[in-house]
Amino acid sequence: MCGITGWVSYTDDLRRHAEVAGAMTETMAYRGPDDEGVWLSPHAALGHRRLAVIDIEGGRQPMAAPGDPGPPAVITYSGEVYNYRELRDELRRRGRRFHTDSDTEVVLNAYLEWGDGLVDRLNGIYAFAIWDTRTEELLLVRDRMGVKPLFYYPLAQGVLFGSEPKAIFANPRAEAVVDADGLREVFGNVMTPEHAVFRGMAEVRPGHLVRLSRRGLVKKCYWKLEARPHTDDLDTTVATVRGLMEDIVTRQLISDVPLCSLLSGGLDSSAITALAAEALRERGGGPIRSFSVDFTGHAERFRPNAVWVDADAPYVTEVARHLAADHTDVTLDNGELLDPAVRKATLQALDLPVVTGDMEYSLHLLFRAVRGTSTVALSGESADELFGGYTQFHDPEAVHSGTFPWHTPFTKAGGVEALRTTGLWDRLGLTEYVRRRYDEAMAEMPRLDGEQGLEAKMREVSYLHLTRFMTFLLDRKDRMSMAVGLEVRVPFCDHRLVEYVFNTPWAMKTFDGREKSLLRAATAHLLPESVVRRKKSPYPSTQDIGYELNLREQAQRLLDGDSPVLELASPEGLRALLDRPTGSFGFGGPFSGRAVLERMVDFDAWVADHGVTVAA
């Protein structure tokens, strides 16, 4: 994984703007601590910061294809293409020559061979830009599920782009302005595809490419979820999921640097860790290295609630022992979670206020610890969206709510009430905004002829999670991991598995009367029985009341000073929120009142530290 950025201008000689191109590239330093490069031409500047994972010596970027009198194309690339060896063999048979063992050179040669048709052949997670010197056209490409981020900012005669908004804002031609719709995205838990919060900026939508020429900018979809009949019986379906998972995890073990797995003791991460351990044993490798996160005193302090029914630690210990993993527990305390340096680094990485409260901070600290011994980590992220693990998949009120299903727990956990109390919900017109975005999502929904009732409804629920909620979580994981130079891979986002499971009937996904039935059946043979039986438990959030007390102190300081967020929210409403009993906000996650309060506190730091102008 790496950080990429660039600038195309058909009216400037960008060779005279090397300093600006260098500044844009430098903002991506933590994404790529191993190397840097800038390539300049009259109308294109490409920047790259490298995290070396494959072909440590030979994969330097930006990479120019050999040519006479000059390179026909130049690439700046982030990600991993897991089938690059097969593609390289095919390209060699077609007469292409290679000078490195990197997947970057394979992608560049695939472009020279197939043009933008190369995207149909890639299996992996990636975001890249190719400048074609022959046509003076730029191609921006993002992977099918949106694992790797890619933002762009159109100009009158060109474009700025980068892995993160900060790379774009390092160019004086871009302005960090957030308007009313941007604020609605920040506070409304909507997660609209392509929306980048900042005015004038967009994300390349997952499964899309963007082409820029002198004629203008054109967007093109090369992959999307489609509704197809599922003809396999249950036994075949389980076997197919198992076979796909085995192939996916084996492919994603490719690395020239140390690799590990993130382990929570839940079904998803335990399955990935077990499959990785099995694949390593088959190739004669050592034990899988694994990491988990916990909080000081969490075992004694933990109380079951509507979100977390049990603590992770006992299950983590059992899985690690069962797999003979080389395991490390990363235990955090309030001092670390509340450390101003950690919070500043987290906001800097996100470019936005936090959404899931203490979870972002603990992720940052977890990944920092992991990076001490590993450069690549496998994650169980996205299994809940794919196999139907979240509580809202199984709550009839959420399923039939006529809005985004996660807005039911958003209401039940106190997040919506907190927004209403502070006046933000009405001030931002979130009722109308959420309805509009939901209607847009329903209009693009793929539907299967003849599918009715619960099956049709659950296809909608799955689609909304896979195209909205999941991309938010993937972005969070990318920002927090890449902030410390750690590459996190997500096997459950392989498009082959996504296509297959998306079209599997809901009756099969819940055939044993529980969540994630297919995944459980496909991997049960690898796992302890206790983990197979365990109910879904999300990524942990601290239950230390001292964390909330500190957060309340920070919120009180908003009332005592000149606060940007109180130009939007009601001071009286914030006081009313703070008057509620300690412990009444819930324990974090994107839906709780505590997370909303944290977002308000972080809003002020975000505006100040990022030079954001609020225009609402």
Side-chain angles (χ1 to χ4, degrees):
M1 300 299 175
C2 306
I4 68 172
T5 189
W7 179 9
V8 170
S9 175
Y10 293 113
T11 58
D12 291 276
D13 185 345
L14 296 185
R15 293 171 297 185
R16 299 175 180 173
H17 296 277
E19 185 175 346
V20 174
M24 295 171 68
T25 304
E26 184 60 24
T27 63
M28 297 290 95
Y30 56 76
R31 292 186 72 94
D34 298 327
D35 198 7
E36 65 178 316
V38 175
W39 182 88
L40 298 170
S41 71
H43 299 303
L46 304 182
H48 190 267
R49 291 291 311 211
R50 187 183 185 209
L51 176 64
V53 173
I54 294 175
D55 189 7
I56 307 302
E57 299 300 324
R60 299 193 68 186
Q61 297 186 55
M63 183 179 289
D68 186 18
V74 185
I75 187 172
T76 182
Y77 164 88
S78 171
E80 305 293 344
V81 171
Y82 302 121
N83 64 333
Y84 79 98
R85 291 172 176 166
E86 299 98 309
L87 287 173
R88 185 173 58 199
D89 290 342
E90 182 178 357
L91 288 164
R92 277 176 172 156
R93 290 192 295 270
R94 290 173 170 267
R96 296 285 170 183
R97 294 185 177 183
F98 291 85
H99 303 87
T100 75
D101 291 324
S102 69
D103 57 338
T104 305
E105 190 178 18
V106 171
V107 174
L108 181 56
N109 274 275
Y111 172 77
L112 294 173
E113 185 69 27
W114 297 303
D116 64 21
L118 90 157
V119 294
D120 298 322
R121 301 170 181 266
L122 302 180
N123 176 287
I125 53 178
Y126 45 81
F128 59 86
I130 296 176
W131 174 250
D132 193 316
T133 63
R134 301 162 300 185
T135 61
E136 291 199 317
E137 294 183 354
L138 178 74
L139 180 69
L140 300 176
V141 178
R142 192 176 182 200
D143 65 70
R144 294 172 179 84
M145 300 307 297
V147 178
K148 303 314 297 178
L150 185 54
F151 297 84
Y152 65 100
Y153 190 101
L155 302 171
Q157 291 294 323
V159 73
L160 305 171
F161 67 86
S163 295
E164 299 177 9
K166 62 177 65 67
I168 292 170
F169 291 136
N171 190 302
R173 302 195 185 185
E175 296 180 317
V177 177
V178 178
D179 59 17
D181 274 3
L183 293 171
R184 290 164 183 141
E185 290 290 325
V186 168
F187 287 103
N189 283 352
V190 176
M191 303 105 175
T192 305
E194 297 186 70
H195 203 297
V197 175
F198 298 100
R199 188 168 68 191
M201 186 184 296
E203 274 195 279
V204 178
R205 186 165 184 170
H208 283 63
L209 56 85
V210 175
R211 183 178 289 280
L212 176 75
S213 69
R214 292 179 185 274
R215 297 182 300 277
L217 188 146
V218 177
K219 296 183 287 188
K220 175 184 174 182
C221 174
Y222 71 88
W223 182 89
K224 61 182 178 180
L225 287 169
E226 296 179 349
R228 301 168 185 164
H230 184 82
T231 57
D232 292 343
D233 61 20
L234 179 58
D235 289 343
T236 303
T237 300
V238 171
T240 301
V241 169
R242 181 182 301 121
L244 283 168
M245 288 303 306
E246 290 170 348
D247 178 70
I248 291 164
V249 172
T250 299
R251 283 180 180 272
Q252 295 195 19
L253 291 175
I254 296 173
S255 177
D256 293 334
V257 293
L259 177 145
C260 69
S261 183
L262 305 174
L263 178 61
S264 71
L267 177 63
D268 315 337
S269 66
S270 299
I272 295 299
T273 306
L275 287 164
E278 183 179 54
L280 288 173
R281 280 195 299 269
E282 290 177 355
R283 64 173 65 170
I288 183 70
R289 181 185 286 116
S290 59
F291 289 84
S292 63
V293 67
D294 202 354
F295 305 102
T296 302
H298 192 62
E300 298 77 19
R301 191 178 295 114
F302 180 84
R303 297 293 181 271
N305 55 61
V307 180
W308 292 275
V309 296
D310 49 29
D312 288 343
Y315 299 95
V316 169
T317 300
E318 188 172 4
V319 174
R321 185 184 300 118
H322 181 77
L323 300 177
D326 178 8
H327 183 72
T328 300
D329 289 307
V330 178
T331 304
L332 307 175
D333 60 30
N334 270 358
E336 293 170 290
L337 292 172
L338 294 167
D339 182 349
V342 170
R343 298 173 84 82
K344 184 179 180 68
T346 300
L347 286 177
Q348 179 66 21
L350 288 171
D351 286 316
L352 294 171
V354 300
V355 173
T356 55
D358 65 289
M359 291 180 175
E360 271 102 336
Y361 302 121
S362 65
L363 269 175
H364 179 87
L365 291 163
L366 168 64
F367 291 150
R368 190 171 71 182
V370 171
R371 187 63 173 89
T373 57
S374 299
T375 309
V376 176
L378 300 181
S379 167
E381 194 82 87
S382 303
D384 290 305
E385 292 84 357
L386 184 58
F387 289 96
Y390 292 124
T391 56
Q392 58 261 29
F393 277 84
H394 308 275
D395 180 353
E397 182 182 349
V399 169
H400 299 285
S401 63
T403 188
F404 297 108
W406 52 89
H407 271 239
T408 296
F410 192 22
T411 299
K412 291 181 177 180
V416 171
E417 184 183 1
L419 287 171
R420 291 189 185 279
T421 300
T422 58
L424 280 167
W425 187 273
D426 292 334
R427 170 71 172 79
L428 296 175
L430 285 173
T431 297
E432 295 77 13
Y433 187 75
V434 170
R435 182 184 300 117
R436 170 160 63 92
R437 293 305 192 187
Y438 176 75
D439 289 344
E440 290 171 356
M442 287 296 95
E444 68 182 38
M445 247 294 299
R447 302 185 184 279
L448 187 66
D449 288 345
E451 190 173 64
Q452 298 177 343
L454 182 61
E455 289 293 344
K457 178 56 68 173
M458 295 313 299
R459 183 182 294 277
E460 292 178 2
V461 172
S462 297
Y463 182 81
L464 291 171
H465 279 85
L466 288 168
T467 59
R468 269 88 178 157
F469 196 77
M470 188 175 80
T471 53
F472 146 68
L473 293 176
L474 290 172
D475 187 69
R476 180 186 70 170
K477 183 148 288 182
D478 172 86
R479 300 296 189 90
M480 293 298 93
S481 60
M482 293 305 295
V484 297
L486 176 70
E487 173 183 309
V488 175
R489 298 175 179 176
V490 278
F492 288 114
C493 285
D494 186 292
H495 70 280
R496 298 169 298 162
L497 181 68
V498 172
E499 290 173 346
Y500 187 78
V501 176
F502 176 67
N503 285 296
T504 301
W506 182 246
M508 281 191 181
K509 291 177 183 174
T510 55
F511 74 86
D512 63 359
R514 297 193 54 194
E515 78 282 358
K516 294 185 286 195
S517 305
L518 287 179
L519 180 60
R520 183 176 296 103
T523 59
H525 64 294
L526 298 170
L527 301 173
E529 182 62 26
S530 63
V531 173
V532 174
R533 294 195 310 266
R534 189 186 183 195
K535 188 179 184 296
K536 161 68 185 172
S537 186
Y539 180 85
S541 176
T542 180
Q543 292 192 9
D544 188 341
I545 205 66
Y547 186 88
E548 181 186 321
L549 292 174
N550 184 281
L551 185 60
R552 284 173 172 269
E553 291 176 7
Q554 295 183 60
Q556 183 62 49
R557 287 197 289 272
L558 298 181
L559 291 167
D560 297 337
D562 194 14
S563 167
V565 77
L566 293 183
E567 295 178 11
L568 303 169
S570 158
E572 293 75 19
L574 179 56
R575 288 191 186 93
L577 194 65
L578 293 175
D579 284 342
R580 294 181 183 176
T582 301
S584 64
F585 291 150
F587 295 115
F591 307 131
S592 69
R594 192 175 86 179
V596 170
L597 187 63
E598 189 131 31
R599 211 171 308 170
M600 293 179 67
V601 169
D602 287 343
F603 186 90
D604 280 22
W606 172 56
V607 169
D609 294 348
H610 289 73
V612 174
T613 299
V614 178

